[in-house]
Amino acid sequence: MDEFQDKISLLQEMIGFALVDGELHDREYDFISIIAQELEIDKPTLHKLFEKKESKKVVKDEFHRICQFYRLALLMHADEYVHEKEYVKLKEIGINMGLNPYAMKRVLQLMKESPTRMVDGEILLAIFSEQHN
């Protein structure tokens, strides 16, 4: 994911997802800011994304779709409260990305059971990979 527009699209999706429950919590904003830093998107550009809606770009690479799904799942847990609308929207987004519903369900269950709400990257990829067999 090297293209600027791909990075912007990922952040827009995260912002839209964070607002699904009707409010943006400080921890959600902090998480999005950290992701923006990792993607090398400056604060003024990030703040503009909160003000306007642009069309989302579909991520074609499965690895990056899985990563984005996981980022959104982490964002969902950032405020330490999972709103039903967030859960439904995350599953909808995952399906629209073409991810396997059973793999998504397993990842979300593992996150729920984890005290840190995190899943090891190798386990995450293994869950999605085993669905291909």
Side-chain angles (χ1 to χ4, degrees), residues 15-59:
I15 291 166
F17 182 70
L19 296 171
V20 154
D21 64 356
E23 59 183 297
L24 180 68
H25 300 274
D26 291 341
R27 293 183 76 175
E28 292 172 325
Y29 173 79
D30 293 343
F31 184 79
I32 292 170
S33 293
I34 290 168
I35 298 299
Q37 276 183 311
E38 288 180 9
L39 296 174
E40 299 176 349
I41 302 296
D42 60 33
K43 288 275 187 193
T45 303
L46 176 63
H47 290 164
K48 286 179 188 173
L49 297 178
F50 282 97
E51 297 169 8
K52 62 180 178 177
K53 290 188 174 192
E54 292 183 21
S55 60
K56 298 174 194 159
K57 187 174 180 182
V58 178
V59 179

Side-chain angles (χ1 to χ4, degrees), residues 105-127:
K105 185 176 181 176
R106 275 192 66 203
V107 168
L108 293 173
Q109 184 61 39
L110 285 174
M111 290 179 80
K112 184 177 181 180
E113 294 168 0
S114 169
T116 62
R117 303 295 184 240
M118 297 181 79
V119 176
D120 181 78
E122 290 181 17
I123 294 172
L124 179 68
L125 293 176
I127 290 170

Side-chain angles (χ1 to χ4, degrees), residues 58-112:
V58 178
V59 179
K60 294 179 182 155
D61 179 274
E62 183 178 32
F63 174 77
H64 287 106
R65 287 182 284 148
I66 292 168
C67 290
Q68 180 65 357
F69 172 79
Y70 184 60
R71 280 188 209 105
L72 292 172
L74 288 171
L75 178 60
M76 178 173 72
H77 289 96
D79 61 358
E80 297 180 359
Y81 175 75
V82 177
H83 194 281
E84 182 63 26
K85 287 181 181 180
E86 291 174 321
Y87 187 76
V88 169
K89 185 66 175 179
L90 180 61
K91 290 191 316 187
E92 178 185 311
I93 290 169
I95 288 170
N96 288 337
M97 285 193 283
L99 296 176
N100 184 291
Y102 298 107
M104 291 186 301
K105 185 176 181 176
R106 275 192 66 203
V107 168
L108 293 173
Q109 184 61 39
L110 285 174
M111 290 179 80
K112 184 177 181 180

Side-chain angles (χ1 to χ4, degrees), residues 1-8 10 39-41 57 64:
M1 174 183 327
D2 297 313
E3 294 184 29
F4 179 77
Q5 193 55 46
D6 288 342
K7 295 174 183 181
I8 295 297
L10 291 175
L39 296 174
E40 299 176 349
I41 302 296
K57 187 174 180 182
H64 287 106

